[in-house]
Amino acid sequence: MLITILQRAVMQGTPLLFGSTGEILTEKSGHLNLGIPGIMYVGAISGVAGSFLYEQSVASPELMNPFLAVLIPLLCCLIGAGLMGLIYCFLTVTLRANQNVTGLALTTFGIGIGNFFGGSLIKLVDSDVPSIALSTTSKIFKTELPFADQLGWFGDIFLSYGFLVYVAIIVAIISTYILNRTRVGLHLRSVGESPETADAAGINVTKYKYLSTCIGSAIAGLGGLYYVMDYANGVWSNNGFGDRGWLSIALVIFSMWRPSISILGSILFGFLYVIPTYIPDISVSAKKLFEMLPYVVTILVLVITSIRNKKENQPPAALGLPYFREER
Amino acid sequence: MEQKIALELKNITKTFGSVVANKNVSLQVRKGEILSILGENGSGKTTLMNMVSGIYFPDAGQMFIDGEEVVIASPKDAFKYKIGMIHQHFKLVDVFTAAENIVLGLEDEKGFDMPKYIEKIREITAQYGFELDPDKKIYEMSVSEKQTVEIIKVLFRGADILILDEPTAVLTPQETVKLFAVLKNMRESGKAIIIITHKLHEVLSLSDYVTVLRKGEYAGTVKTSETNEAELTEMMVGKKVFLNIERSEPENCTDRLVVDNISCVNREGIKLLDSVTFTARSGEILGIAGIAGSGQRELLEAIAGLQHIDEGKIIYIDPKTNQEENLRDKSPMEIRQMGVRLAFVPEDRLGMGLVGNMDIVDNMMLRSYKKGKSVFLQRKAPKSLAEDIIERLEVVTPSSSTPVRRLSGGNVQKVLVGREIASSPTVLMAAYPVRGLDINSSYTIYNLLNEQKKKGVAVIFVGEDLDVLIELCDKIMVIGGGKIAGTVDGRNTTKEEIGLLMTKTSYEDNVKKGGSDNDEKSE
């Protein structure tokens, strides 16, 4: 049973890992994007829409090209979520709108878009299916690695997931490497820590802010796509994604802005999320209390890092502040 | 020995709106030479150098590098011509290491190779005699280490012309000595160095040539070996200008505020105020002169109860009862109620004392909201006060309910000073009340201060313009490096005398550090 719990924890944690990696990249440029929950919804519905239209266009599921079945939703998701990031950037970087207000507005907007299209896609194509269920596409997304069922517990824990789980981990590792070991990472961090210093050093602050926010949003969008295609077996249900977007933002704080810690953090959060289901005879109210745990852990981390007050564990110094180049 | 001219400026002019920051300034600096740019606050030294480093663009004039005319439109252009400027406020990322800060923004086609960069940084530090650990984080560094990082940053980019903006302002005397040694090493290796400063002794001990600016204008260039302090001071402050501010004879003077030996130490352990002793008397205007940041602000804040005092006492003598009270034990609110008022006009004018988004009435209320008796605010009294100030001081505003930030600078200052005066203070402290004002508004403020003086208020006036101080104040106290450098009589002093006191203190401070305080004067 432990293996099953662990498996579920990883699967629960994957959307969070995508979300938090994306948000970390964004925050490293000094932008607190509270639109992440909405962006993940948009990422999900864009992928679903692309996939749905593709499934509708082929005569029968057997004729679907597995390569296209993956590529189309993937691209749609990246573009949809990336566009949301672009809206956020235009408002906060170019127009210097308040980041928190913009982010919250995008979250409301994104969830709305998700629910609207989730309910109305079917009517658009005059189909007779009762709800969107992309079972064929989902099966391709859920394809396990080879030998997953032949290697016992090892296969179950490490090889039994759809490819997006591995993508999430690889993206987190690559992000860590870029942030800490490359010139681009150094420049990006300097933009988030002290944009005026970066500007004086000849770094294009606006370009870095735009790129990191849009790329971060696209990565976060993948979290939404994973949820629908893999975790939910390709079935779209309104508000099904729940509060995972907020959990991703909590995970950013929990991991102290390090994608590498996010990998383990996401599994921990996932574990805390699924654990009540495995406790026998648990009451509904106790279950709700368990759902609080990731947030409680996050608050604990916040308290501890604040007390220790180590500079490296603090958020980027210019997080949330608009940057004006000083002019006279 | 024929040296090549590295940088030459010809007739540079720069204006900000109607303010002329630089007018027809020319200078040249050769390779293997240190040039000082000397001038008072606001004489345009930093503006001039910001043009060389590409932050501002000159309105007129020419720049030559190695004899060829160039256009420097951005900091990138400045890098290209191997000009590096070390600003007064460091531009460093706190959580990065020294090495990370040094290579920040660098384009290197060969990829990102930190060990190689660190190697090169070590070479530079060894070559010029710096002391720096490339792996140390900035937030763990002292001010002087941070400065070292900034200097290495420009050397790393291969700068041949180095500009340092007031490099010693933040250093201890020992660190200054070290810095000068490094600068001399750089001169030996053929770099052209420009330092901006207002400290005469640094000019004399370090530089080869001195270019003096006075109120944005070029006052001349002299060879350091052929000049002396007196000549430089005269070039700096210029000839006396007559302003015709009316000054009445002080009447019925009694001691009002006795500041006895107060010292303040900041968090880094640097003394902001060092055994300051003076007496402010009723019916007199006491002027305080000094280079910006010499402790004026801290002194006024200490009196107003806003600054923690480590040593000494401030005795306030009540004019009605003649009772003595030590302000050191009082809260700012209690001190205010005794009649000690502070009107501080900071550089940005709105930073202290007024809330920009609130209207004049609300800003009046900031001082009186506690007087109300019910839970609701009482707007009547502040409203009539606001209208009174608008009328009496000729504040130009659509109405008393216009947000303060929409008023022009002069009008904002009138509101600020007017509010403090309206409370019929016994001690009025006004710091830079005419900062950025036009002539007419300035005179309105001077007249207000004079009016208060006649009423028997002890006025303390911190000013920048020596001409004004000499004509307005009965006594002028010169402060330098947190110490009183001397007190002179406003009626028979000269600008040169004050100027020398202003610039000399820090020098004596350095020479006999920790020595006796015998250059202090008390009343």
Side-chain angles (χ1 to χ4, degrees):
Chain A
M1 183 164 98
L2 193 69
I3 291 169
T4 328
I5 295 180
L6 213 64
Q7 262 184 333
R8 300 298 295 176
V10 171
M11 290 169 70
Q12 269 296 348
T14 300
L16 309 186
L17 181 55
F18 273 121
S20 76
T21 307
E23 178 71 5
I24 287 171
L25 288 181
T26 307
E27 292 198 13
K28 282 289 180 188
S29 76
H31 280 248
L32 179 66
N33 187 355
L34 294 181
I36 284 290
I39 289 171
M40 292 171 90
Y41 262 90
V42 170
I45 195 67
S46 309
V48 165
S51 175
F52 181 73
L53 294 177
Y54 178 63
E55 277 201 15
Q56 292 295 314
S57 68
V58 284
S60 78
E62 292 84 57
L63 293 173
M64 273 169 72
N65 179 338
F67 182 68
L68 278 182
V70 168
L71 194 69
I72 289 174
L74 212 54
L75 276 182
C76 289
C77 163
L78 290 176
I79 292 170
L83 277 177
M84 287 288 278
L86 199 63
I87 295 174
Y88 175 84
C89 264
F90 180 70
L91 289 170
T92 59
V93 181
T94 307
L95 302 181
R96 299 194 185 94
N98 182 301
Q99 296 183 11
N100 298 342
V101 176
T102 308
L104 291 173
L106 277 189
T107 287
T108 315
F109 173 67
I111 294 176
I113 282 208
N115 290 343
F116 174 73
F117 284 105
S120 58
L121 263 182
I122 303 158
K123 304 200 170 67
L124 270 181
V125 291
D126 271 339
S127 169
D128 51 355
V129 281
S131 73
I132 302 177
L134 307 159
S135 44
T136 321
T137 313
S138 171
K139 259 189 208 112
I140 302 167
F141 269 88
K142 289 185 80 138
T143 310
E144 300 177 345
L145 290 192
F147 315 116
D149 43 2
Q150 292 160 28
L151 291 169
W153 62 269
F154 180 84
D156 286 340
I157 293 179
F158 293 102
L159 305 174
S160 64
Y161 312 104
F163 75 96
L164 276 176
V165 173
Y166 305 101
V167 170
I169 292 169
I170 291 166
V171 165
I173 291 171
I174 292 176
S175 301
T176 307
Y177 178 81
I178 289 178
L179 282 175
N180 296 330
R181 289 290 151 84
T182 65
R183 187 191 313 281
V184 173
L186 185 73
H187 289 184
L188 176 59
R189 282 186 290 140
S190 75
V191 168
E193 292 288 344
S194 169
E196 59 280 357
T197 305
D199 202 7
I203 296 166
N204 188 338
V205 173
T206 310
K207 186 176 103 186
Y208 271 89
K209 280 177 182 278
Y210 261 90
L211 278 178
S212 70
T213 305
C214 292
I215 293 173
S217 298
I219 292 173
L222 288 178
L225 185 70
Y226 168 83
Y227 174 79
V228 186
M229 292 300 182
D230 192 329
Y231 192 84
N233 298 318
V235 178
W236 174 272
S237 53
N238 279 356
N239 291 324
F241 192 63
D243 64 348
R244 289 178 177 82
W246 297 116
L247 269 176
S248 313
I249 295 175
L251 183 58
V252 172
I253 300 165
F254 174 86
S255 60
M256 296 174 295
W257 293 266
R258 289 184 182 81
S260 52
I261 298 182
S262 271
I263 299 174
L264 297 175
S266 69
I267 297 171
L268 174 70
F269 275 33
F271 178 77
L272 293 173
Y273 210 91
V274 297
I275 194 76
T277 355
Y278 293 92
I279 298 172
D281 303 328
I282 191 167
S283 69
V284 177
S285 50
K287 210 175 160 184
K288 289 289 166 199
L289 284 177
F290 268 99
E291 282 174 15
M292 276 169 47
L293 277 177
Y295 297 104
V296 174
V297 174
T298 304
I299 292 171
L300 279 181
V301 169
L302 262 182
V303 169
I304 293 165
T305 50
S306 301
I307 291 171
R308 290 185 57 211
N309 199 15
K310 204 164 168 255
K311 284 255 186 184
E312 284 83 354
N313 295 341
Q314 300 301 319
L319 185 62
L321 306 173
Y323 174 60
F324 298 88
R325 180 186 275 195
E326 223 171 295
E327 274 166 86
R328 265 174 78 170
Chain B
M1 188 170 72
E2 192 64 33
Q3 288 160 307
K4 256 182 88 182
I5 294 174
L7 171 73
E8 182 170 13
L9 305 184
K10 269 189 190 164
N11 298 322
I12 297 285
T13 298
K14 174 77 186 170
T15 54
F16 295 111
S18 60
V19 183
V20 180
N22 284 129
K23 194 175 162 195
N24 287 331
V25 180
S26 303
L27 62 82
Q28 42 181 262
V29 57
R30 279 160 285 267
K31 288 179 177 159
E33 183 182 285
I34 299 179
L35 172 79
S36 296
I37 299 184
L38 185 69
E40 284 184 277
N41 298 313
S43 57
K45 299 169 293 202
T46 304
T47 308
L48 181 67
M49 286 304 111
N50 277 343
M51 282 188 274
V52 176
S53 60
I55 293 173
Y56 301 144
F57 195 74
D59 298 338
Q62 294 163 291
M63 293 189 203
F64 299 88
I65 285 174
D66 295 332
E68 273 177 50
E69 183 165 0
V70 294
V71 175
I72 299 174
S74 72
K76 267 200 171 153
D77 287 351
F79 283 152
K80 198 172 76 191
Y81 295 118
K82 304 198 165 181
I83 298 170
M85 180 152 171
I86 292 103
H87 293 269
Q88 221 173 339
H89 304 286
F90 303 138
K91 290 200 158 103
L92 296 171
V93 180
D94 264 357
V95 293
F96 285 10
T97 65
E100 283 176 329
N101 267 293
I102 288 167
V103 300
L104 190 65
L106 215 61
E107 303 293 338
D108 181 357
E109 270 95 63
K110 282 176 220 132
F112 187 69
D113 185 359
M114 211 60 196
K116 197 185 81 192
Y117 297 144
I118 289 175
E119 189 53 38
K120 192 175 162 195
I121 291 166
R122 287 193 203 282
E123 274 170 32
I124 294 173
T125 51
Q127 186 187 349
Y128 298 109
F130 290 105
E131 284 168 25
L132 184 76
D133 174 6
D135 292 320
K136 198 167 172 183
K137 293 266 167 80
I138 299 296
Y139 67 85
E140 298 168 328
M141 288 187 173
S142 70
V143 179
S144 119
E145 283 176 292
K146 287 181 194 170
Q147 189 182 53
T148 307
V149 175
E150 285 280 12
I151 297 175
I152 295 177
K153 197 159 129 187
V154 299
L155 290 175
F156 193 91
R157 286 163 171 69
D160 285 331
I161 301 167
L162 276 93
I163 303 164
L164 294 98
D165 189 359
E166 310 232 354
T168 59
V170 289
L171 301 184
T172 65
Q174 292 88 335
E175 289 166 345
T176 305
V177 170
K178 256 190 223 166
L179 173 70
F180 282 6
V182 168
L183 291 179
K184 283 172 182 164
N185 284 340
M186 288 186 208
R187 170 169 65 185
E188 297 312 312
S189 66
K191 307 263 183 213
I193 297 166
I194 301 176
I195 74 166
I196 299 175
T197 183
H198 50 238
K199 295 182 185 166
L200 282 177
H201 73 279
E202 290 178 356
V203 171
L204 293 171
S205 67
L206 184 71
S207 60
D208 302 296
Y209 286 88
V210 192
T211 293
V212 184
L213 297 185
R214 182 174 62 226
K215 291 186 177 150
E217 288 188 45
Y218 177 66
T221 300
V222 289
K223 199 165 182 183
T224 315
S225 52
E226 293 163 3
T227 186
N228 54 44
E229 285 191 16
E231 189 190 357
L232 288 177
T233 309
E234 204 197 301
M235 286 173 79
M236 237 168 101
V237 295
K239 296 273 179 283
K240 174 140 180 53
V241 186
F242 288 95
L243 298 166
N244 295 321
I245 301 171
E246 88 177 273
R247 171 163 54 190
S248 57
E249 285 298 317
E251 288 168 17
N252 306 328
C253 298
T254 52
D255 288 0
R256 179 65 52 81
L257 197 66
V258 183
V259 174
D260 189 8
N261 236 348
I262 59 166
S263 297
C264 298
V265 180
N266 73 358
R267 259 186 242 152
E268 280 91 48
I270 296 166
K271 274 199 173 177
L272 301 172
L273 291 177
D274 191 356
S275 327
V276 171
T277 299
F278 69 91
T279 305
R281 305 205 297 167
S282 63
E284 259 188 7
I285 298 185
L286 173 70
I288 299 181
I291 310 272
S294 301
Q296 296 97 320
R297 180 183 187 146
E298 288 77 12
L299 178 60
L300 300 192
E301 287 187 349
I303 295 170
L306 302 170
Q307 169 89 33
H308 177 76
I309 303 167
D310 291 283
E311 274 173 52
K313 56 186 175 182
I314 301 171
I315 303 293
Y316 171 77
I317 299 155
D318 196 291
K320 290 189 199 102
T321 58
N322 273 334
Q323 265 183 334
E324 294 190 3
E325 290 196 76
N326 190 352
L327 296 186
R328 197 180 155 181
D329 314 323
K330 306 269 185 220
S331 70
M333 187 55 95
E334 286 170 322
I335 294 174
R336 289 187 50 74
Q337 275 159 3
M338 290 168 148
V340 179
R341 294 292 151 121
L342 170 63
F344 187 99
V345 180
E347 273 94 351
D348 61 358
R349 290 179 181 159
L350 276 176
M352 218 166 140
L354 295 178
V355 179
N357 281 335
M358 301 200 323
D359 65 23
I360 302 176
V361 177
D362 287 350
N363 270 298
M364 294 300 139
M365 211 137 66
L366 283 179
R367 290 295 192 229
S368 61
Y369 68 96
K370 285 207 170 171
K371 283 188 189 140
K373 286 187 185 68
S374 69
V375 288
F376 298 107
L377 291 171
Q378 310 205 323
R379 291 178 65 93
K380 229 182 204 166
K383 190 166 166 76
S384 67
L385 173 59
E387 270 155 13
D388 184 44
I389 288 176
I390 291 171
E391 197 193 302
R392 229 160 37 97
L393 303 189
E394 294 161 5
V395 178
V396 182
T397 170
S399 76
S400 62
S401 54
T402 306
V404 167
R405 97 190 119 78
R406 288 227 215 113
L407 306 185
S408 77
N411 289 310
V412 170
Q413 268 153 271
K414 284 183 198 165
V415 171
L416 177 63
V417 176
R419 182 183 69 190
E420 300 308 323
I421 290 173
S423 57
S424 55
T426 52
V427 176
L428 176 67
M429 297 184 280
Y432 314 112
V434 298
R435 191 170 244 167
L437 291 194
D438 61 46
I439 308 266
N440 285 332
S441 310
S442 302
Y443 275 88
T444 314
I445 303 264
Y446 299 146
N447 290 339
L448 277 174
L449 294 177
N450 266 322
E451 216 175 274
Q452 293 299 308
K453 165 184 161 182
K454 278 186 207 150
K455 278 190 189 163
V457 175
V459 180
I460 300 177
F461 172 79
V462 180
E464 287 170 310
D465 192 330
L466 294 185
D467 291 314
V468 171
L469 279 163
I470 289 173
E471 294 216 3
L472 180 70
C473 302
D474 301 295
K475 274 186 207 137
I476 299 166
M477 185 168 84
V478 183
I479 190 167
K483 282 184 172 189
I484 306 292
T487 307
V488 293
D489 190 329
R491 285 185 174 69
N492 44 35
T493 185
T494 59
K495 275 169 97 173
E496 285 71 26
E497 189 183 8
I498 299 174
L500 267 179
L501 280 170
M502 274 167 67
T503 44
K504 240 176 137 174
T505 34
S506 38
Y507 176 55
E508 279 167 16
D509 222 30
N510 288 352
V511 173
K512 34 173 202 185
K513 198 193 168 252
S516 64
D517 298 330
N518 56 6
D519 51 352
E520 252 171 64
K521 263 187 210 163
S522 56
E523 295 296 301

